[in-house]
Amino acid sequence: MTAVSAIGGGPSATAASTGSRADRVLVAAALVAAGWGANQFTPLSVVYRLEAGWSTMSVVLVFTTYLAGLVPALLLGCRAADRFGHRRVVRSALAVTVAGSLLLTLAEVSGGAVFASRLATGVAAGLIVSAGAAWLRALSPGQDRGARFGVYATGAGFALGPLLAGTLAAWLPAPAVVPCLVHGGFALLVLVLTARIPEMCSIPGPPPAAPAGDRWSAITHPRFVGIVLPASPAIFAAVTVSYVVLPPFVLDRVRDQAPLFSGVVAALTLLVGLAVQPLAARIDRPGSARATLVAMATVVVGLLVGALAIEAVSPLLVLAAAVFLGAGYGLTLESGLAEIGRLAPPGALPTVSALFQGVAHSGFLAPLLLAVMARSASYPELLGGLALIGFILLIGAAVHAARHAHQDPARPDPTPQELTWDE
């Protein structure tokens, strides 16, 4: 599943020289390995359903365990790197993700190994995405260039990892084992090759924190409370509904290629989300909520298409829902980052970012909540209910934006590296 790094995180200081191109490629490969490991469970869960008879509740519980490792690691990754060094943290996390993949090979014989695997994978992904992105920026000739390279590398891992895992599971023997071994081998290779990369970061100490009053004014800012926070759960609710909830309902229609189809849905969702983020930046205007409103509307449409896909048992409609939900994910993420980048003073960015991340990651719980509620309502009804809630929040955000249209943001021109939140 997708992961993020804290806004404003990164090295406190950067060496005057930059790393070589090969060094940057290797650190980017570590980001790819993190995303690949995090999302390979998506197509493999189809294998567990078909071959081991896993229930929907079992799948979503294992999926949610990943979140318990991811969020703390994201929040602590840059701090750990500042204390122990980015290279040490990233390489240690690569070793953890290798162990996670090896544990996942035992999925069909040991439920405990699966939970341990997902927890370890979440920790590894959080550490690599946060500390690795900062390390890559330090190695790059420009902060903005390094940040963008990190975004693309992380996005490639999260999107192409499940596609590759699904392909291996569909076309090779031992579908529950081979994809895990391939990922573990790749991560192990990156671990070995990154041993020679220079640290490149000189850490004189943590940056000064904003006064408590500045942090409080940022997190209680009307636009943050009334526009950003109501939309933020949709970020990860959109992607988890797209490739955790929807594909299992059409497995009978794609049974021969079910793992591959699941991987395609995941890749499509995340690649669309990455591709539309520049569109959100073009739509966005300081003092206007139109980028957020468009994002929320896109998620609502995606949920309705998903409900129709389940009702019609249509793989094509699942793919269509993936496009809308992926677009909604990317637009909501980018518009939220732009908004908090404007309203928070530099020293308050970590606090505001942590709150934004926490609320956004609550969307990971969507599959679990739907599975629990499915005892009393059908999935099309539940997705329709989510769409209705999203529409109500959309109307509320629009009304709130109209009332606060002339409230000037505190920071009209955030720098690109401050807005980096790697998916």
Side-chain angles (χ1 to χ4, degrees), residues 108 115 131 166 188 216 244 278 306 319 346 348 383 389 403 409 414:
E108 292 185 312
F115 283 98
L188 184 61
W216 181 250
V244 176
L319 294 174
L383 291 182
I389 293 172
R403 290 177 178 174

Side-chain angles (χ1 to χ4, degrees), residues 28-47:
L31 294 171
V32 171
W36 179 355
N39 271 5
Q40 68 177 336
F41 179 77
T42 301
L44 294 183
S45 67
V46 174
V47 177

